[in-house]
């Protein structure tokens, strides 16, 4: 799956790689519980077309990608 992502990004016209990769492991067994690519945005900041496409592609190949919008404190 990661090779599909790498191959996709050999094309210089592809944009929108998420900002982070987060993962969690079980405390005692160290078994992987989850992994997720995350695009981080400011409040009300829109995703670009490339970011929408990238998140959709990653989810199609089951790499689990999401966008989160931050909440700013006053």
């Amino acid at each position: 799956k990661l090779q599909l992502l790498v191959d996709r990004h050999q094309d210089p016209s592809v944009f929108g790689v998420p900002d982070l990769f987060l993962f969690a492991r079980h405390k005692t067994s160290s078994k992987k519980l989850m992994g997720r690519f995350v695009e981080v945005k400011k409040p009300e900041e829109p995703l670009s077309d490339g970011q929408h496409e990238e998140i959709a592609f990653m989810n199609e190949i089951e790499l689990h990608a999401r966008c989160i919008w931050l909440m700013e404190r006053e």
Side-chain angles (χ1 to χ4, degrees), residues 32-49:
K32 179 188 160 219
L33 296 176
M34 66 76 97
R36 181 152 290 128
F37 290 87
V38 179
E39 177 64 32
V40 180
K41 293 291 188 183
K42 293 186 253 183
E44 300 180 35
E45 180 182 9
L47 283 171
S48 69
D49 290 341

Side-chain angles (χ1 to χ4, degrees), residues 40-45 69-74:
V40 180
K41 293 291 188 183
K42 293 186 253 183
E44 300 180 35
E45 180 182 9
W69 281 267
L70 300 174
M71 295 178 65
E72 295 180 349
R73 292 183 180 183
E74 293 183 19

